[in-house]
Coordinates of all heavy atoms in Angstrom, one line a residue:
L6 N -35.5 -23.7 -30.4 CA -36.7 -22.9 -30.8 C -36.3 -21.7 -31.6 O -35.4 -21.0 -31.4 CB -37.4 -22.5 -29.6 CG -37.9 -23.6 -28.6 CD1 -38.6 -22.9 -27.4 CD2 -38.8 -24.5 -29.3
A7 N -37.1 -21.5 -32.7 CA -36.9 -20.4 -33.6 C -38.2 -19.8 -34.1 O -38.2 -19.1 -35.2 CB -36.0 -20.8 -34.8
A8 N -39.3 -20.0 -33.4 CA -40.6 -19.4 -33.7 C -41.0 -19.7 -35.2 O -41.6 -18.9 -35.8 CB -40.6 -17.9 -33.5
G9 N -40.7 -20.9 -35.6 CA -41.1 -21.3 -37.0 C -40.3 -20.8 -38.1 O -40.6 -21.0 -39.3
K10 N -39.2 -20.1 -37.8 CA -38.4 -19.4 -38.8 C -36.9 -19.9 -38.8 O -36.0 -19.2 -39.3 CB -38.5 -17.9 -38.7 CG -39.9 -17.4 -38.9 CD -39.9 -15.9 -38.9 CE -39.8 -15.2 -37.5 NZ -40.9 -15.5 -36.6
G11 N -36.6 -21.0 -38.2 CA -35.2 -21.5 -38.1 C -34.8 -22.4 -39.1 O -33.7 -23.0 -39.1
V12 N -35.6 -22.6 -40.2 CA -35.3 -23.6 -41.2 C -35.0 -22.9 -42.5 O -35.7 -22.0 -42.9 CB -36.5 -24.6 -41.4 CG1 -36.1 -25.6 -42.5 CG2 -36.8 -25.3 -40.1
V13 N -33.9 -23.3 -43.2 CA -33.6 -22.8 -44.5 C -33.6 -24.0 -45.5 O -32.9 -25.0 -45.2 CB -32.2 -22.1 -44.5 CG1 -31.8 -21.9 -46.0 CG2 -32.4 -20.7 -43.9
V14 N -34.3 -23.9 -46.5 CA -34.3 -24.9 -47.6 C -33.8 -24.2 -48.9 O -34.5 -23.3 -49.3 CB -35.7 -25.5 -47.8 CG1 -35.7 -26.6 -48.9 CG2 -36.2 -26.1 -46.5
T15 N -32.7 -24.6 -49.4 CA -32.1 -23.9 -50.5 C -31.3 -24.8 -51.4 O -30.8 -25.8 -51.0 CB -31.2 -22.7 -50.0 OG1 -30.6 -22.0 -51.1 CG2 -30.1 -23.3 -49.1
T16 N -31.2 -24.4 -52.7 CA -30.3 -25.1 -53.6 C -28.9 -24.5 -53.6 O -28.0 -25.0 -54.3 CB -30.9 -25.1 -55.0 OG1 -31.1 -23.8 -55.5 CG2 -32.2 -25.8 -55.1
D17 N -28.8 -23.4 -52.9 CA -27.5 -22.6 -52.9 C -26.6 -23.1 -51.7 O -27.0 -22.9 -50.6 CB -27.8 -21.1 -52.8 CG -26.5 -20.3 -53.0 OD1 -25.4 -20.7 -52.5 OD2 -26.6 -19.2 -53.6
L18 N -25.5 -23.8 -52.0 CA -24.7 -24.3 -50.9 C -24.2 -23.2 -50.0 O -24.1 -23.4 -48.8 CB -23.5 -25.1 -51.6 CG -22.6 -25.8 -50.5 CD1 -23.3 -26.8 -49.6 CD2 -21.5 -26.5 -51.3
E19 N -23.8 -22.1 -50.6 CA -23.3 -21.0 -49.7 C -24.4 -20.5 -48.8 O -24.0 -20.1 -47.6 CB -22.8 -19.9 -50.6 CG -21.5 -20.3 -51.4 CD -20.4 -20.8 -50.5 OE1 -20.1 -20.2 -49.4 OE2 -19.9 -21.9 -50.8
V20 N -25.6 -20.4 -49.2 CA -26.7 -19.9 -48.4 C -26.9 -21.0 -47.2 O -27.0 -20.6 -46.0 CB -28.0 -19.8 -49.1 CG1 -29.2 -19.5 -48.2 CG2 -27.9 -18.6 -50.1
A21 N -26.8 -22.2 -47.6 CA -26.9 -23.3 -46.5 C -25.8 -23.2 -45.5 O -26.0 -23.3 -44.3 CB -26.9 -24.7 -47.2
R22 N -24.6 -23.0 -46.0 CA -23.4 -22.9 -45.1 C -23.6 -21.7 -44.2 O -23.3 -21.8 -43.0 CB -22.2 -22.8 -45.9 CG -21.7 -24.1 -46.5 CD -20.5 -23.8 -47.4 NE -19.8 -25.1 -47.9 CZ -19.0 -25.2 -48.9 NH1 -18.7 -24.1 -49.6 NH2 -18.5 -26.3 -49.2
A23 N -24.0 -20.6 -44.7 CA -24.2 -19.4 -43.9 C -25.2 -19.6 -42.8 O -25.0 -19.2 -41.7 CB -24.6 -18.2 -44.8
H24 N -26.3 -20.2 -43.1 CA -27.3 -20.4 -42.1 C -26.8 -21.4 -41.0 O -27.0 -21.2 -39.8 CB -28.6 -20.9 -42.7 CG -29.7 -21.1 -41.7 ND1 -30.2 -20.0 -40.9 CD2 -30.4 -22.2 -41.3 CE1 -31.2 -20.5 -40.2 NE2 -31.3 -21.8 -40.3
A25 N -26.1 -22.4 -41.4 CA -25.5 -23.4 -40.5 C -24.5 -22.7 -39.6 O -24.5 -22.9 -38.3 CB -24.8 -24.5 -41.2
T26 N -23.7 -21.8 -40.1 CA -22.7 -21.0 -39.3 C -23.4 -20.2 -38.3 O -23.0 -20.1 -37.1 CB -21.9 -20.2 -40.2 OG1 -21.1 -21.1 -41.1 CG2 -20.9 -19.4 -39.4
T27 N -24.5 -19.5 -38.7 CA -25.3 -18.6 -37.8 C -25.8 -19.5 -36.7 O -25.8 -19.0 -35.5 CB -26.4 -18.0 -38.6 OG1 -25.9 -17.2 -39.6 CG2 -27.3 -17.1 -37.6
C28 N -26.3 -20.7 -36.9 CA -26.9 -21.5 -35.9 C -25.9 -22.0 -34.9 O -26.1 -21.9 -33.7 CB -27.6 -22.7 -36.5 SG -29.1 -22.3 -37.5
V29 N -24.7 -22.5 -35.4 CA -23.8 -23.1 -34.5 C -22.9 -22.1 -33.7 O -22.3 -22.4 -32.7 CB -22.8 -24.1 -35.2 CG1 -23.7 -25.3 -35.8 CG2 -22.0 -23.4 -36.3
T30 N -22.8 -20.9 -34.2 CA -22.0 -19.9 -33.5 C -22.8 -19.1 -32.5 O -22.2 -18.3 -31.8 CB -21.4 -18.9 -34.6 OG1 -22.4 -18.3 -35.4 CG2 -20.3 -19.6 -35.4
A31 N -24.1 -19.3 -32.4 CA -24.9 -18.7 -31.4 C -24.6 -19.3 -30.1 O -24.2 -20.5 -30.0 CB -26.4 -18.8 -31.7
P32 N -24.8 -18.6 -28.9 CA -24.6 -19.3 -27.6 C -25.4 -20.6 -27.5 O -26.6 -20.6 -27.6 CB -25.1 -18.2 -26.6 CG -24.9 -16.9 -27.4 CD -25.2 -17.2 -28.8
G33 N -24.6 -21.7 -27.2 CA -25.3 -23.0 -27.1 C -25.8 -23.5 -28.4 O -26.7 -24.4 -28.4
G34 N -25.4 -22.9 -29.5 CA -26.0 -23.2 -30.8 C -25.7 -24.6 -31.3 O -24.6 -25.2 -31.1
A35 N -26.6 -25.1 -32.1 CA -26.5 -26.4 -32.8 C -27.4 -26.4 -34.0 O -28.3 -25.6 -34.1 CB -26.8 -27.6 -31.9
V36 N -27.1 -27.3 -34.9 CA -27.8 -27.3 -36.2 C -28.1 -28.7 -36.6 O -27.3 -29.6 -36.3 CB -27.1 -26.5 -37.3 CG1 -25.8 -27.2 -37.7 CG2 -28.0 -26.2 -38.5
V37 N -29.2 -29.0 -37.3 CA -29.5 -30.3 -37.9 C -29.6 -30.1 -39.3 O -30.3 -29.3 -39.9 CB -30.8 -30.8 -37.3 CG1 -31.2 -32.1 -38.0 CG2 -30.7 -31.1 -35.8
I38 N -28.8 -30.9 -40.1 CA -28.7 -30.9 -41.5 C -29.3 -32.2 -42.0 O -28.9 -33.3 -41.5 CB -27.3 -30.7 -42.0 CG1 -26.9 -29.2 -41.7 CG2 -27.2 -30.9 -43.5 CD1 -25.4 -29.0 -41.8
E39 N -30.3 -32.2 -42.9 CA -31.0 -33.4 -43.2 C -31.3 -33.4 -44.7 O -31.3 -32.4 -45.4 CB -32.2 -33.6 -42.4 CG -33.3 -32.6 -42.5 CD -34.5 -32.8 -41.5 OE1 -34.2 -33.1 -40.3 OE2 -35.6 -32.8 -42.0
D40 N -31.7 -34.6 -45.2 CA -32.1 -34.8 -46.6 C -33.4 -34.1 -46.8 O -34.3 -34.0 -45.9 CB -32.3 -36.4 -46.8 CG -31.0 -37.1 -47.0 OD1 -30.1 -36.5 -47.5 OD2 -31.0 -38.3 -46.7
Y41 N -33.6 -33.7 -48.0 CA -34.8 -33.0 -48.4 C -35.9 -34.1 -48.7 O -35.7 -35.1 -49.3 CB -34.6 -32.2 -49.7 CG -35.8 -31.6 -50.3 CD1 -36.4 -30.4 -49.7 CD2 -36.5 -32.1 -51.4 CE1 -37.5 -29.9 -50.3 CE2 -37.6 -31.6 -52.0 CZ -38.1 -30.4 -51.4 OH -39.2 -29.8 -51.9

């Protein structure tokens, strides 16, 4: 759960990587990466 603000859609690979890192490094964190 992220109150509607847990999704990043970007053309910048570094921004995508940074958000993924933030998600998986949180306690119990996990991330879903999917096609646009």
Side-chain angles (χ1 to χ4, degrees):
L6 298 179
K10 298 186 284 291
V12 180
V13 165
V14 181
T15 179
T16 57
D17 188 324
L18 181 58
E19 291 308 312
V20 171
R22 283 174 172 163
H24 184 60
T26 297
T27 299
C28 294
V29 298
T30 54
V36 71
V37 172
I38 292 164
E39 62 183 46
D40 284 329
Y41 176 76

